[in-house]
Amino acid sequence: MKNGIHKLSFDFPIISNGGNDIWIYENKTENTKTIKFWISRGFFEAPQIYFIFTNDPKTKMSYEKLIKNDPELNWKLEDQWYRIVERY
């Protein structure tokens, strides 16, 4: 693990287009997690695109706001799962 990035073994099926890396943030105080699976890693000026799982209410609210502001690029897949584009 490095800065929340976990390198998954290729013994598992490839689940992330970012070199089979996933990003995990765990809030142990509130017992919540957010896990990002790369669709597009966003090198150079390209945005990063993720499938995201989160059970953190604050994070869910921020994703719901992104969806409302730009529904063409961001959407909710099902409860706790999102497809989000991050631009810098």
Side-chain angles (χ1 to χ4, degrees):
M1 181 178 92
K2 184 176 181 183
N3 296 327
I5 296 176
H6 296 262
K7 183 90 167 155
L8 299 176
S9 166
F10 285 103
D11 294 337
F12 295 101
I14 296 174
I15 61 171
S16 179
N17 290 339
N20 221 24
D21 294 341
I22 60 173
W23 182 89
I24 300 174
Y25 174 75
E26 183 175 8
N27 184 331
K28 292 182 181 183
T29 306
E30 297 182 19
N31 197 28
T32 62
K33 287 185 182 176
T34 299
I35 305 170
K36 295 181 177 184
F37 303 85
W38 274 278
I39 298 171
S40 174
R41 193 71 183 251
F43 293 108
F44 305 107
E45 294 185 18
Q48 295 197 77
I49 305 170
Y50 302 96
F51 288 123
I52 301 172
F53 167 84
T54 187
N55 62 357
D56 180 349
K58 292 176 190 171
T59 303
K60 288 168 75 170
M61 284 177 38
S62 71
Y63 293 146
E64 298 289 341
K65 185 177 178 181
L66 283 172
I67 292 165
K68 184 177 181 180
N69 291 338
D70 199 349
E72 296 286 321
L73 296 176
N74 304 295
W75 55 85
K76 186 174 186 173
L77 300 168
E78 58 183 59
D79 188 38
Q80 301 181 334
W81 284 93
Y82 300 87
R83 190 250 188 214
I84 298 294
V85 175
E86 288 185 352
R87 298 174 189 256
Y88 298 102

